[in-house]
Amino acid sequence: MSRPPTRLGVNIDHVATLRNARGGTHPDPLRAARMAIAAGADGITIHLREDRRHIRDEDVARIRAGIAVPLNLEMAATDEMLAIALAHLPHAACIVPERRAEVTTEGGLDAAAGMAGLRPIVAALTAGGVRVSLFIDPDPAQLHAAAALGAAVVELHTGAYAHARPGELERLRVAASLAERLGLECHAGHGLDFDNVGAVAAIPQIRELNIGHFLIGEAIFDGLVPVVARMRRIISAAS
Ligand code: PXP
């Protein structure tokens, strides 16, 4: 049975990382977002971290106003981030765990243990018309917690799969199938590249992939438009 191709969300955080290395305005993440869209991205993802190491507050406003595709704001479950999300009303907010010293988002959110803190944040975003996604490991207990919290979407952390850990693709398949049974839209991301993305895009319940670091890194060699277009083709062919 044919299904619409899995959506590609391009995370442009590391364009801002490079900009911030010199403290000026170049390279501009909004320009990168527009180029990624022209190359076939269905959405743009940005992560406003507590330490503002890449995307900054003013980027959120400029990118929100400057693109016509859905914006997915990754955020920690804090009152500060909630206020920012409600001020800008992105299409979606993906709640991620955040530890100050980590290099990247190393694991999924512990939604099962953190239900009490997450519940008001999920409710406030949802009431504001923002589609809430929880970034979780492909673990049944986390999926049940996401459903109990009333999240619309789960994004499965593909980091362990990307590190080629045995059994991880099967864990993703089982989790994606459970997400569907629980009425959750299923997304996935972290550590995906040209070589490992196809098997994830082929999982029928996964509707969106969010990819950043590899695309921005590879763009140094081949240019952002060809790299995003190639990723788009690989995902479309697999899904
Ligand atoms: N999805 C989420 C929720 C993330 O936090 C990240 C990393 O910022 C990604 C997807 C993309 O991961 P990567 O940059 O490894 O492609």
Side-chain angles (χ1 to χ4, degrees):
M1 201 169 63
S2 74
R3 57 185 171 102
T6 308
R7 293 191 300 273
L8 169 60
V10 173
N11 180 318
I12 54 166
D13 288 348
H14 296 307
V15 177
T17 305
L18 195 56
R19 175 200 60 193
N20 297 353
R22 278 290 172 98
T25 58
H26 184 270
D28 178 7
L30 174 57
R31 182 175 167 202
R34 289 179 171 151
M35 291 181 85
I37 294 162
D42 302 290
I44 295 296
T45 293
I46 54 177
H47 184 178
L48 184 69
R49 278 186 169 266
E50 190 189 5
D51 63 8
R52 310 302 199 263
R53 72 174 72 155
H54 36 59
I55 292 296
R56 294 176 175 157
D57 299 60
E58 56 273 25
D59 294 323
V60 179
R62 281 182 72 236
I63 294 165
R64 173 77 178 85
I67 60 172
V69 300
L71 176 66
N72 175 35
L73 176 69
E74 293 177 3
M75 54 175 268
T78 64
D79 289 342
E80 183 203 12
M81 290 300 155
L82 175 62
I84 292 169
L86 291 176
H88 294 289
L89 297 178
H91 168 79
C94 181
I95 302 180
V96 300
E98 204 175 295
R99 284 183 294 275
R100 223 168 229 278
E102 69 188 356
V103 175
T104 181
T105 313
E106 283 158 4
L109 192 68
D110 192 348
M115 297 257 290
L118 287 167
R119 196 178 294 283
I121 294 188
V122 173
L125 289 167
T126 304
V130 179
R131 205 164 157 73
V132 177
S133 169
L134 301 184
F135 189 44
I136 57 170
D137 290 324
D139 168 352
Q142 299 300 339
L143 285 145
H144 283 286
L149 283 163
V153 180
V154 285
E155 181 166 326
L156 302 178
H157 197 304
T158 50
Y161 161 74
H163 285 105
R165 300 213 183 107
E168 286 300 330
L169 185 60
E170 188 53 25
R171 271 186 90 202
L172 290 169
R173 288 197 186 107
V174 168
S177 161
L178 177 58
E180 183 174 58
R181 290 200 301 283
L182 292 171
L184 295 159
E185 184 171 308
C186 190
H187 301 174
H190 204 91
L192 297 177
D193 61 25
F194 289 151
D195 295 327
N196 65 19
V197 74
V200 181
I203 299 174
Q205 298 87 357
I206 295 183
R207 304 301 319 124
E208 178 175 310
L209 299 173
N210 284 301
I211 310 180
H213 186 265
F214 172 79
L215 292 174
I216 304 306
E218 196 65 8
I220 291 169
F221 304 107
D222 283 342
L224 188 58
V225 166
V227 166
V228 172
R230 183 171 166 197
M231 185 62 86
R232 175 67 275 164
R233 283 195 302 274
I234 294 171
I235 291 172
S236 296
S239 61

